[in-house]
Amino acid sequence: MSNPPPLFGLGSGSNLRGASGKVPRIQSLCVDGVTYRHECDLWRNQCYCRSGDSRCGNDQFSNHRANENSAIKYYDECRDLSGLCDWDQNESTFSLRLGMWFQELLRQKWSSASWSNDDDSLLRPMDAKARSTTSKLVSQSSPHERVNGAVISYWFCELDRRNRGSLQQDDLNYLYQLLLPSTPCLEVFINRCSGSGGISFDQWHNCFDIPQEERVQCNEFK
């Protein structure tokens, strides 16, 4: 498959550090539906609430009582993104474009310029054994109308950092922080994939139309 064009407003040379929150051009952030002016305000509010300070969740923080589970969803003012997504226009191609974007990020990670131990990046560092195994799995051929199933499997395993076997909101925030709000259809796509207990391994693959025989269990990437 040839290199895809820039997707979702991000070029092929985009920095992979979106998940760490290091996006200097944007100051505000959306947390639990509340807009914070800066990360420092969120940390301050969390500190107030953790210590029982009366300033916890005051007017400065829009009455939001932040705790350790309060996660940054994306870096911009909070707003309803569903109205910005023309799903009828995007539905037929969205999973393919997202899969191609996943594949391109993996290609960048394996490039000579991407060997640094950037623990804050969306993709975690891999040791030599894991890199070799993963490279063989994701290089297998697949039909031109969809992305290699191993690539989709890899991303499920990468996002499931707590090894729970399903993707919860805190797992998906790594992806949201990089692609929202510029790609409002992402949230529509994810919501259509998820069930009451998050997104299971099979639900994730079903969303990308990956057949059972191409699905790779997480332990095979190690």
Side-chain angles (χ1 to χ4, degrees):
M1 184 178 294
S2 60
N3 288 342
L7 299 175
F8 308 137
L10 292 174
S12 59
S14 296
N15 194 322
L16 302 186
R17 290 186 174 273
S20 71
K22 298 176 182 177
V23 188
R25 64 185 178 83
I26 297 176
Q27 293 293 315
S28 57
L29 49 145
C30 183
V31 181
D32 299 338
V34 175
T35 298
Y36 281 79
R37 296 175 303 169
H38 194 275
E39 279 187 85
C40 291
D41 289 340
L42 173 61
W43 298 335
R44 186 179 300 111
N45 193 22
Q46 286 177 321
C47 183
Y48 290 156
C49 294
R50 184 169 54 247
S51 63
D53 192 292
S54 61
R55 289 169 289 185
C56 168
N58 64 17
D59 291 344
Q60 179 186 355
F61 308 115
S62 302
N63 300 314
H64 178 240
R65 300 181 67 85
N67 57 44
E68 299 306 318
N69 295 320
S70 296
I72 300 168
K73 187 172 185 179
Y74 56 83
Y75 288 83
D76 205 342
E77 294 182 358
C78 294
R79 56 188 184 275
D80 181 8
L81 300 178
S82 60
L84 302 177
C85 169
D86 185 347
W87 186 246
D88 290 339
Q89 180 72 24
N90 283 274
E91 182 176 10
S92 63
T93 62
F94 192 87
S95 63
L96 175 61
R97 290 187 292 122
L98 181 58
M100 291 172 68
W101 186 77
F102 283 157
Q103 187 164 279
E104 175 64 9
L105 284 192
L106 276 178
R107 187 195 66 77
Q108 290 183 42
K109 186 66 176 180
W110 289 333
S111 71
S112 59
S114 301
W115 277 81
S116 60
N117 289 327
D118 47 346
D119 291 310
D120 288 333
S121 70
L122 184 59
L123 285 169
R124 293 170 291 178
M126 292 183 285
D127 60 28
K129 180 181 178 181
R131 182 180 289 273
S132 175
T133 301
T134 303
S135 179
K136 291 176 183 177
L137 285 169
V138 301
S139 63
Q140 297 170 2
S141 61
S142 62
H144 293 297
E145 64 271 15
R146 60 178 169 78
V147 175
N148 186 331
V151 171
I152 302 304
S153 297
Y154 179 86
W155 276 91
F156 177 90
C157 303
E158 179 69 14
L159 291 170
D160 183 21
R161 298 192 173 197
R162 293 169 178 78
N163 300 314
R164 292 179 288 200
S166 64
L167 301 181
Q168 307 297 322
Q169 184 64 51
D170 55 343
D171 303 311
L172 295 168
N173 282 338
Y174 289 108
L175 190 57
Y176 285 161
Q177 288 171 16
L178 193 56
L179 289 177
L180 294 181
S182 62
T183 312
C185 285
L186 174 65
E187 194 165 20
V188 176
F189 176 77
I190 292 296
N191 288 339
R192 292 169 69 92
C193 293
S194 62
S196 57
I199 303 177
S200 69
F201 182 83
D202 283 334
Q203 286 173 325
W204 175 259
H205 289 81
N206 290 342
C207 283
F208 292 90
D209 296 321
I210 303 300
Q212 287 286 344
E213 61 270 18
E214 288 190 24
R215 302 178 185 188
V216 180
Q217 297 297 320
C218 295
N219 59 4
E220 296 187 46
F221 292 110
K222 301 177 181 178

